[in-house]
Amino acid sequence: MASKTDPDEKRPSSRDVSSQDIDEFASSIPLIDPHAEKRLLLKLDMYFVPIIMLVYLTCFLDRSNIGNVKVAGMPEDIGASAKEFSTAVSIFYATYVAFEPPWSVMMKWMTPRILLTGLCVVWSLTTICTGFIHNVAGLYAVRLVLGACEAGLFPVMNLYLTMVYKRHEQGIRVSYLFVCTAISGAFGGLLAFSILKMDGVAGYAGWRWVYIIEGICSFVVAPIIWFGLPNDPSNAYFLTEEEKAMMKVREAQRAQYMGSEEFSWEEIWISLKDPKLYLSGCIQFCQDILLYGFSTFLPSIIVSMGYTSIEAQYLSIPVYIFGGLCFLALAFVSDRTCIRGPFLWLSNIPGIVGYILILAPTSNAVKFLGTFFCAASTYCGPGLNLTWLNVNIAPHYRRATAIGVQLSMGNTAGVVAGQIYRKSPYVLGNAFSVGALGLAQVIIAAKWFYLRRQNEAKERIASGQREDTRKVQSGDRAVDFKYHL
């Protein structure tokens, strides 16, 4: 019995092949016992997922802890005004946005192990150095370096997942990365709550210890990346010979999706002209307004409701955990059904309700309840949208370009978030966020109709009802490559 695969992942993509060639190609691929494949997937998850989650967890802690130290006296200690501190939050994304596309395209050349380990070492040292700054200029400098290094992590991690998993297996794995975002928010608040008690130890303020200790934790992760993530997952050190053979079969089944290993400027150009990329990038921008505004300023938002800064640290923990669990559940269902757009659209509705509750003249208890609704959309939206792009772009370099550009478009929202969340009670930031969600709903619907129309056009070409005059007919443009809707 054959294992479950997408039919569009196991066919050749050449525009000149006949139906007989396609059938011969499909029949030449060995069958995998589905129970053995499930055991293989479990083993892959057990080895790869904890490492990937740990790396992203520490990375996001280093990025978002600026929200925790804001309420612990950092701006006052370095003489930063509210405007200068907002600029420090935003300036991170200047280098972050600029470096995402090149890092993702360079992954194959540099190899995942060298690239990720090197970036981890640099951003860890930068985080430690942040604990020793004394002025605004120093804060700007470390944020720029941090942005340039962390820019490579998320796109490279996403590409690495596509090297291991099939299209219908990716949503739940991408969700693990965004769950780390939620965990880092919860753990970051708890960790900050504990570390801030070190205020005055060795003559350093508590917020300085937050940076020093979290930077050291990130540095320890670097050797775990080096030894834990093989450049070629199909020949991973923990796989048996039988499992390595299954990985080769899975590669053959995904031949069209993975494509050539050779660098191609043509594939990059095809990706840059793809409407799917820009529709996805606009959605990601809207969703990231929430992600960066909410995750960076949640402690401050809670303080604006009347709670103390210490209370804000631990009250944020259940909010983050709830958001992460919502995404895990929704990503699981999305993978099982291969439905992306409708779940993305539905996941934004709680966020709209949540921000309305926060903005309305309600009690603090109701406003706090609203943060849970916001958390559901904050983590579900960006992750589901990225998965929707991942599974609908092929082959590798076309996908690498699309992921890098899409994330760059989305992460410009970080610049906006730093400017709209300036002054308590953050009416402008919250209003802007709910408006971004409304705009995202419109673009999601537009992308869904576009992809459905493309699938219908492919069906007409395949049935002979229409001549195929398209300039690009390979990869995801092949008639037997069905876009996930």
Side-chain angles (χ1 to χ4, degrees), residues 187-203:
F187 183 66
L190 181 62
L191 188 61
F193 175 75
S194 302
I195 298 176
L196 287 174
K197 294 181 179 180
M198 295 178 63
D199 188 47
V201 174

Side-chain angles (χ1 to χ4, degrees), residues 53-229:
M53 291 185 70
L54 179 63
V55 176
Y56 197 66
L57 172 62
T58 55
C59 168
F60 209 84
L61 274 174
D62 292 344
R63 178 195 316 178
S64 61
N65 53 19
I66 193 170
N68 298 117
V69 300
K70 179 185 179 183
V71 296
M74 179 194 189
E76 294 78 9
D77 284 359
I78 64 173
S81 65
K83 182 178 180 181
E84 288 172 332
F85 193 83
S86 295
T87 301
V89 173
S90 298
I91 204 172
F92 168 91
Y93 298 97
T95 48
Y96 194 91
V97 168
F99 280 85
E100 276 184 310
W103 285 140
S104 60
V105 173
M106 291 168 62
M107 185 192 78
K108 285 281 187 181
W109 171 63
M110 292 188 67
T111 72
R113 174 183 288 171
I114 292 175
L115 179 57
L116 289 174
T117 304
L119 291 176
C120 183
V121 168
V122 178
W123 84 57
S124 301
L125 294 175
T126 303
T127 303
I128 294 172
C129 290
T130 307
F132 298 96
I133 61 171
H134 291 280
N135 51 49
V136 177
L139 179 60
Y140 289 168
V142 293
R143 294 288 290 177
L144 285 170
V145 175
L146 196 65
C149 294
E150 293 195 1
L153 180 65
F154 200 70
V156 171
M157 285 293 192
N158 269 279
L159 278 174
Y160 195 85
L161 290 174
T162 68
M163 295 167 60
V164 181
Y165 299 101
K166 297 177 182 178
R167 292 173 71 201
H168 65 272
E169 299 165 352
Q170 289 181 28
I172 189 67
R173 276 80 189 185
V174 172
S175 76
Y176 296 149
L177 295 180
F178 278 92
V179 165
C180 287
T181 305
I183 294 174
S184 73
F187 183 66
L190 181 62
L191 188 61
F193 175 75
S194 302
I195 298 176
L196 287 174
K197 294 181 179 180
M198 295 178 63
D199 188 47
V201 174
Y204 292 115
W207 67 265
R208 294 186 184 276
W209 283 113
V210 170
Y211 279 111
I212 294 169
I213 292 177
E214 292 186 3
I216 292 172
C217 291
S218 294
F219 191 81
V220 173
V221 172
I224 297 176
I225 300 174
W226 180 264
F227 292 107
L229 292 182

